Amino acid sequence: MSLVPDRARPTPSRAAIAFSSGAIGGLCVGLAVPLLAAAGFMELLGVAIHPQLTPPFVYQKVVWGGLWGFILLIPFNASALARGTLFGALGPGLAQLLIVFPLKETPGSIAGLSLGPLTPLLVLFLNAFVWGVPSALAYSLLRPPSPQSFVGIRALGESDRDLELQGRSARDAKTGLAK
């Protein structure tokens, strides 16, 4: 017996959709961050993050975004907005603050604070809303429906009278129950 219900169990197609959805979010981040920096938004906030819009920068964000997309496979019953903001902030957001910045970007700095006092808030915001929301929306739009979605759906052109002639009531057909 599995602890994960069949409808929530990751399958190859769901995994591919999760990766693709995360890659869409990564593309959003890969484009948004350099454009915000070029527009002077980072400077306005006092954050010293100024990446250039180059293919390697965007590619890196797309690939890592796709890998982080697997977090969308976690069964969590919430709206796409809630899933995206929560998973975006807790997954890639915290990883960037607690692993990437201290080890790669600003060695010895905690949470990228050497890049500016608002850096942690900006990183969490960008990962929650610029990566998380588009990724979760793409995942919810692209994933195949669960088998439970089809319970009680009538055949095309089937009327209440047809169902009654078959020995079922319209109410039973709508709820998926039969006599």
Side-chain angles (χ1 to χ4, degrees), residues 40-110:
F41 184 73
M42 305 296 189
E43 189 177 322
L44 179 69
L45 293 177
V47 174
I49 297 176
H50 302 289
Q52 298 297 313
L53 183 57
T54 61
F57 180 80
V58 175
Y59 178 75
Q60 177 186 14
K61 298 300 179 191
V62 168
V63 171
W64 278 107
L67 293 174
W68 276 109
F70 290 122
I71 201 169
L72 297 170
L73 294 172
I74 296 172
F76 185 68
N77 192 18
S79 69
L81 180 64
R83 287 172 60 91
T85 55
L86 179 67
F87 289 161
L90 293 181
L94 286 179
Q96 186 172 1
L97 291 174
L98 302 177
I99 298 169
V100 175
F101 280 155
L103 297 178
K104 183 182 175 198
E105 299 293 328
T106 56
S109 173
I110 297 173

Side-chain angles (χ1 to χ4, degrees), residues 72-164:
L72 297 170
L73 294 172
I74 296 172
F76 185 68
N77 192 18
S79 69
L81 180 64
R83 287 172 60 91
T85 55
L86 179 67
F87 289 161
L90 293 181
L94 286 179
Q96 186 172 1
L97 291 174
L98 302 177
I99 298 169
V100 175
F101 280 155
L103 297 178
K104 183 182 175 198
E105 299 293 328
T106 56
S109 173
I110 297 173
L113 287 170
S114 64
L115 298 172
L118 293 179
T119 300
L121 293 176
L122 180 66
V123 166
L124 291 175
F125 176 82
L126 290 173
N127 280 292
F129 292 100
V130 179
W131 178 83
V133 172
S135 296
L137 285 173
Y139 183 72
S140 66
L141 292 173
L142 295 174
R143 74 175 176 197
S146 67
Q148 293 178 340
S149 302
F150 297 107
V151 173
I153 295 178
R154 299 181 192 190
L156 187 61
E158 194 173 35
S159 68
D160 290 348
R161 175 134 169 78
D162 294 333
L163 293 171
E164 288 170 13

